Amino acid sequence: MSCADCGNIAKEAREIVAEVGSEPEKVIPLLQEIQNRHGYLSQELVEAVAEEIKLPVSRLYGVATFYSQFRFEPIGKNLIKVCKGTACHVAGAEKVYSIISEKLGIEEGETTDDQLFTLESVACLGCCSLAPVVMINDSIYGKLNPAKMGKILKEYADGK
Amino acid sequence: MAVKNYILVCGGTACESSKATEIFNSLKEEAEAQGVIDDVQIVKTGCFGFCEKGPIVKILPEEAFYVEVVPEDAKEIISESIVKGRMVERLLYVDDTQEQKDEFDVEDIKFYQKQVRIVLRNCGFIDPEKIDEYIAREGYAALEKVLFDMKPDDVINELKESGLRGRGGAGFPTWMKWNFTKGADNDQKYIVCNADEGDPGAYMDRSTLEGDPHSVLEAMAIAGYAVGADTGVIYIRAEYPLAIERLEIAIKQARDYGLLGKDILGSGFDFDFEIRLGAGAFVCGEETALLRSIEGNRGMPTPKPPFPAVEGLWGKPTVINNVETWANIPMIILKGGEWFRGIGTERSSGTKVFALTGKINNSGLVEVPMGTTLREIVYDIGGGIKDDKAFKAVQTGGPSGGVLTKDFLDTPIDFDQLTAVGSMMGSGGMIVMDEDDCIVDVAKFYQEFCVEESCGKCAPCRIGTRKLYDILNKISKGKGTHQDLENMKTIGTAMKKAALCGLGQTAPNPILSSLKFFEDEYLEHVDDKICKAGKCKDLVRFEIDADKCIGCTVCARKCPVGCISGERKHPHVIDQDQCVKCGECYAACKFGAITKS
């Protein structure tokens, strides 16, 4: 990171704080705004926001690491969320997950080397009648099996 | 020209995931193209509940109930239903009681017959983004009634009369919570809605908020009047973007109408809202943890007492109820506590919404009077088990609940009955399992969830959930012992007594209840090292019987990891080292040549 960026980061931190608020109760909304903008919590921006609201960085990280919503690494082009809710579990979510993990060579929370896919599992996407379900970016794919999942992955890999 | 027809398109999450928005847009385009756009009002509603058959489109006043609609059907729906006034027969839902399609009536659909909709009264009927439609169905009449005709004590007495108990799981009498807060001496009080629905396999609250957001806002304002609070906070999962959007729209519209904000309807009563987004922590469904999260901290529970009713948000007296509890309240005020008490059982009045999922024919959202039996829910409403398999058990209460076996099919479901048989009502997830589900696997699934979601503050939960998971993992690998089974009971019992909050106290429930009712299945894993359901991977092996295999190659093509090899018309072989035990080959083989052992 060059220091030309430092000024930009401080500027963005001020923007975020102006938008969300600077009270200690706004820590979660502030972190959510950082993640909305960048897809993850970049250390530089978290530090800059902490400075802006005059709270120790540890306080922000203490909160961020508690909640599963927050990520600390950039995500790939396609974010795959495998639902592991109960309905999906009994319908075979594990098999769907294994196939993705096997084909892409990544585990939960990891991103492929070509930055094309990030794999996550989530507790419930709330469309249990379609179980097992996977969400890729904003699209939901339901009633999956390993073969179907393989095809969908290929479509994305081919540049969908 | 007056509108002649209404087309209601389900905009619930499952239908939305299956192109409901595209269907909605196509219907509008077609209505325009066919010149009937002024005759018809096309509305995107909340969840109809019948998610299994989604996306659903309903035509009024004809009551045509179209299922599994795709965007390409729009043209025919408009030309037949709207232009010609006929039904599109091929899209109509038919169940086994209705042989004649032309005698169709939505009320007759078995899925809806035994349901009583109080909480979901508006879901699937109104456009949740239009306050006028809510008002047209007696919306905000209850708020008006309390502001002008009732004293705060009258409101609480009506609630007491109704017998309403909290729908978040524990079933605490709602009026008592309100009364404690009312009695607390403080200038500032808060009303909080717990919409942090984190139970995997449950989406009742999400559907309620998406389908009828005003009912929750109205109820919270009523509580504000009853206890003397002017601020409501809705804590909702960030994972529910549609519900959040509709709540924001609802709040804005209600403010514009003077139904929220300062001096509501000229009564002198002020009430307004804030929305806070949860960030993904199951423990925040616990009320003290939720309050800490709103305050901007790690969502860790604090010991009770003090109860939030007396010392809650920012240390101020706070009423906190979940979405479903709130949604009942306007109806109780309008129709009276006595009416509400007339529904359900003596000690659990009213209805309960369940998310019925798993191995069931009609999965979806159902609302039934308390006291309905499991059999009625599974067989009459749910249409029985998928693929005619055998019923094994139902899990209620998610990771905090337990299993109900076929012996309990005729048990009336209410708070006390479920607790008596070792499960709990929970928030309303109801997962149906069939003969292909392994009880050890399901218990392990829930325990893994609890390990991940334990906040780590108290040792019984932090260590207990981990130890229980490790033991289950060992059993699922065929390495468990009888002592392990005993140890699970000991650890589980200790956690129930010693954990700080509801999460840890109930985390052993799935294990303790399944051990009680399915001990044989645990023993099979321990003594015989087998998993009959074939779910515990380490205990399953798929093999091809060379005598039966004709070399059709279907299994090899289905295998997602390509570990089946063989020449065409010759017996195939599974490479056991590569096999991921997914069972795709087993399901695909038409000759019974693949064995599972």
Side-chain angles (χ1 to χ4, degrees):
Chain A
M1 172 122 348
S2 69
C3 230
D5 290 338
C6 299
N8 289 340
I9 288 169
K11 183 168 164 265
E12 190 175 2
R14 277 195 297 278
E15 248 174 61
I16 292 172
V17 173
E19 200 181 309
V20 179
S22 59
E23 304 85 0
E25 61 173 283
K26 295 287 167 62
V27 167
I28 297 171
L30 283 166
L31 293 167
Q32 284 169 330
E33 181 57 24
I34 298 175
Q35 185 152 305
N36 274 348
R37 289 169 173 233
H38 297 277
Y40 79 110
L41 300 180
S42 80
Q43 192 180 332
E44 293 83 5
L45 201 46
V46 173
E47 284 171 359
V49 167
E51 167 118 17
E52 195 62 34
I53 61 171
K54 309 267 180 298
L55 278 181
V57 186
S58 58
R59 168 77 200 282
L60 270 69
Y61 271 104
V63 171
T65 51
F66 185 83
Y67 296 97
S68 61
Q69 184 192 3
F70 298 114
R71 289 182 212 102
F72 303 95
E73 300 286 335
I75 50 170
K77 185 177 164 214
N78 299 300
L79 177 61
I80 306 176
K81 290 182 180 173
V82 182
C83 180
K84 285 197 174 172
T86 321
C88 287
H89 178 78
V90 298
E94 200 51 50
K95 294 174 189 172
V96 174
Y97 178 89
S98 303
I99 282 309
I100 302 173
S101 169
E102 184 108 355
K103 295 231 174 204
L104 300 178
I106 47 173
E107 290 293 336
E108 163 104 54
E110 294 177 350
T111 301
T112 51
D113 290 340
D114 59 9
Q115 301 294 313
L116 211 49
F117 293 103
T118 298
L119 176 58
E120 285 184 355
S121 64
V122 293
C124 187
L125 288 169
C127 37
C128 309
S129 58
L130 303 174
V133 175
V134 165
M135 188 168 175
I136 305 182
N137 306 327
D138 290 328
S139 305
I140 287 197
Y141 298 90
K143 302 196 173 171
L144 293 170
N145 56 42
K148 217 165 143 184
M149 191 65 235
K151 273 188 205 151
I152 294 167
L153 277 183
K154 195 165 176 308
E155 279 172 25
Y156 276 88
D158 291 345
K160 184 176 175 174
Chain B
M1 189 189 278
V3 169
K4 286 192 289 200
N5 289 96
Y6 293 86
I7 304 181
L8 309 180
V9 182
C10 179
T13 307
C15 289
E16 196 68 71
S17 316
S18 311
K19 303 188 175 171
T21 300
E22 267 184 62
I23 295 168
F24 176 77
N25 291 334
S26 302
L27 285 167
K28 282 207 147 166
E29 283 164 23
E30 278 301 328
E32 186 86 52
Q34 299 187 32
V36 288
I37 192 78
D38 295 330
D39 301 340
V40 58
Q41 188 171 339
I42 306 173
V43 182
K44 192 148 85 177
T45 69
C47 183
F48 280 67
F50 203 3
C51 309
E52 183 72 33
K53 299 287 175 191
I56 291 169
V57 172
K58 192 166 152 185
I59 316 284
L60 294 177
E62 286 84 357
E63 297 258 333
F65 193 81
Y66 297 145
V67 295
E68 295 175 336
V69 177
V70 293
E72 292 72 32
D73 294 328
K75 188 171 183 179
E76 200 177 341
I77 292 176
I78 297 293
S79 68
E80 289 297 305
S81 273
I82 307 302
V83 178
K84 297 177 191 154
R86 297 193 297 228
M87 297 213 182
V88 184
E89 301 248 328
R90 66 179 178 86
L91 294 174
L92 284 176
Y93 176 71
V94 196
D95 63 22
D96 50 11
T97 52
Q98 302 162 318
E99 286 163 10
Q100 295 288 324
K101 283 183 184 172
D102 46 277
E103 288 174 17
F104 185 83
D105 187 344
V106 174
E107 301 282 307
D108 290 341
I109 296 179
K110 267 187 157 181
F111 179 77
Y112 290 110
Q113 263 178 14
K114 294 206 167 165
Q115 296 199 42
V116 173
R117 298 191 142 211
I118 298 173
V119 172
L120 302 175
R121 62 191 178 277
N122 289 324
C123 287
F125 287 98
I126 63 167
D127 180 343
E129 296 181 8
K130 296 205 173 104
I131 190 172
D132 291 334
E133 298 200 7
Y134 179 68
I135 292 172
R137 286 175 66 92
E138 297 185 296
Y140 290 102
L143 179 61
E144 190 185 350
K145 183 175 170 183
V146 301
L147 290 180
F148 296 101
D149 300 335
M150 293 171 87
K151 294 192 181 71
D153 276 328
D154 300 337
V155 178
I156 290 176
N157 282 334
E158 200 67 66
L159 213 53
K160 185 178 179 183
E161 174 67 30
S162 77
L164 178 68
R165 296 169 67 176
R167 299 298 196 245
F172 192 78
T174 305
W175 76 272
M176 284 175 76
K177 279 192 177 182
W178 290 28
N179 207 33
F180 286 139
T181 303
K182 180 177 180 292
D185 185 21
N186 209 307
D187 292 342
Q188 180 67 58
K189 298 176 184 176
Y190 293 99
I191 307 295
V192 172
C193 172
N194 181 351
D196 191 50
E197 189 173 47
D199 178 354
Y203 56 103
M204 301 75 52
D205 293 349
R206 166 186 208 152
S207 299
T208 306
L209 288 171
E210 286 176 0
D212 194 15
H214 286 287
S215 65
V216 173
L217 302 183
E218 182 179 5
M220 290 174 71
I222 290 170
Y225 172 77
V227 307
D230 63 1
T231 305
V233 182
I234 301 173
Y235 185 85
I236 179 168
R237 295 177 73 191
E239 292 93 331
Y240 285 3
L242 187 61
I244 295 164
E245 188 190 327
R246 289 190 175 153
L247 270 174
E248 282 169 347
I249 294 170
I251 290 171
K252 186 181 173 301
Q253 289 179 345
R255 277 186 196 138
D256 290 347
Y257 274 55
L259 294 163
L260 285 180
K262 295 271 174 215
D263 191 20
I264 294 173
L265 299 171
S267 65
F269 171 64
D270 305 336
F271 198 80
D272 216 330
F273 281 93
E274 262 184 62
I275 296 180
R276 284 305 173 84
L277 307 189
F282 179 63
V283 69
C284 288
E286 201 283 336
E287 53 189 13
T288 59
L290 185 151
L291 296 174
R292 300 297 86 80
S293 181
I294 295 177
E295 291 165 357
N297 299 309
R298 290 163 74 91
M300 288 172 153
T302 45
K304 293 188 275 192
F307 287 92
V310 183
E311 216 176 302
L313 189 59
W314 311 112
K316 307 290 183 189
T318 302
V319 170
I320 172 163
N321 286 128
N322 93 324
V323 173
E324 191 180 337
T325 314
W326 289 121
N328 274 298
I329 285 163
M331 294 307 281
I332 292 174
I333 297 296
L334 281 180
K335 295 197 172 183
E338 204 183 325
W339 162 81
F340 191 79
R341 197 179 262 283
I343 302 163
T345 61
E346 198 189 334
R347 299 201 57 235
S348 302
S349 52
T351 59
K352 180 76 194 86
V353 183
F354 291 103
L356 185 62
T357 62
K359 306 292 180 61
I360 185 105
N361 279 319
N362 300 332
S363 67
L365 210 60
V366 306
E367 181 172 357
V368 289
M370 294 275 190
T372 303
T373 65
L374 199 54
R375 188 184 301 280
E376 289 172 295
I377 296 176
V378 172
Y379 288 95
D380 296 342
I381 297 172
I385 310 299
K386 267 195 177 145
D387 303 325
D388 289 325
K389 300 251 179 175
F391 172 87
K392 180 166 186 169
V394 160
Q395 172 96 13
T396 63
S400 312
V403 286
L404 297 172
T405 62
K406 63 179 187 317
D407 296 338
F408 297 110
L409 276 172
D410 295 307
T411 303
I413 293 180
D414 68 12
F415 286 108
D416 307 307
Q417 290 278 3
L418 285 182
T419 309
V421 300
S423 183
M424 70 182 276
M425 181 70 83
S427 54
M430 192 176 260
I431 315 283
V432 181
M433 293 175 249
D434 69 9
E435 55 194 288
D436 292 338
D437 291 309
C438 165
I439 218 75
V440 176
D441 175 68
V442 171
K444 191 174 113 181
F445 163 80
Y446 281 121
Q447 209 54 43
E448 184 181 7
F449 179 82
C450 293
V451 171
E452 280 174 21
E453 297 298 340
S454 171
C455 81
K457 183 171 179 172
C458 76
C461 177
R462 182 180 68 241
I463 303 171
T465 53
R466 166 55 73 179
K467 290 308 286 179
L468 288 175
Y469 175 75
D470 288 347
I471 296 174
L472 284 170
N473 203 23
K474 209 172 135 192
I475 296 172
S476 74
K477 291 183 189 311
K479 293 175 182 162
T481 61
H482 286 242
Q483 187 59 46
D484 282 330
L485 300 182
E486 286 311 308
N487 288 350
M488 286 205 294
K489 287 180 197 163
T490 312
I491 295 169
T493 312
M495 286 168 70
K496 282 175 89 87
K497 286 183 185 152
L500 172 61
C501 82
L503 196 162
Q505 287 158 11
T506 59
N509 281 354
I511 298 177
L512 296 177
S513 95
S514 60
L515 262 175
K516 188 163 148 197
F517 298 116
F518 292 96
E519 195 181 10
D520 290 351
E521 201 170 321
Y522 277 92
L523 287 173
E524 279 167 14
H525 284 71
V526 170
D527 293 335
D528 310 330
K529 322 280 179 217
I530 55 169
C531 172
K532 281 188 182 157
K535 286 282 163 113
C536 297
K537 280 185 184 178
D538 293 287
L539 301 180
V540 185
R541 189 180 165 93
F542 291 97
E543 280 175 295
I544 298 176
D545 182 342
D547 293 336
K548 287 188 184 163
C549 178
I550 63 153
C552 72
T553 75
V554 165
C555 59
R557 280 181 278 131
K558 282 276 178 186
C559 178
V561 292
C563 75
I564 303 181
S565 56
E567 276 178 49
R568 198 174 170 76
K569 298 196 177 168
H570 288 86
H572 281 48
V573 187
I574 298 174
D575 179 347
Q576 295 297 337
D577 292 339
Q578 300 289 319
C579 177
V580 293
K581 321 268 175 90
C582 71
E584 283 290 297
C585 55
Y586 180 77
C589 181
K590 292 195 180 80
F591 306 96
I594 298 182
T595 57
K596 180 166 78 172
S597 58

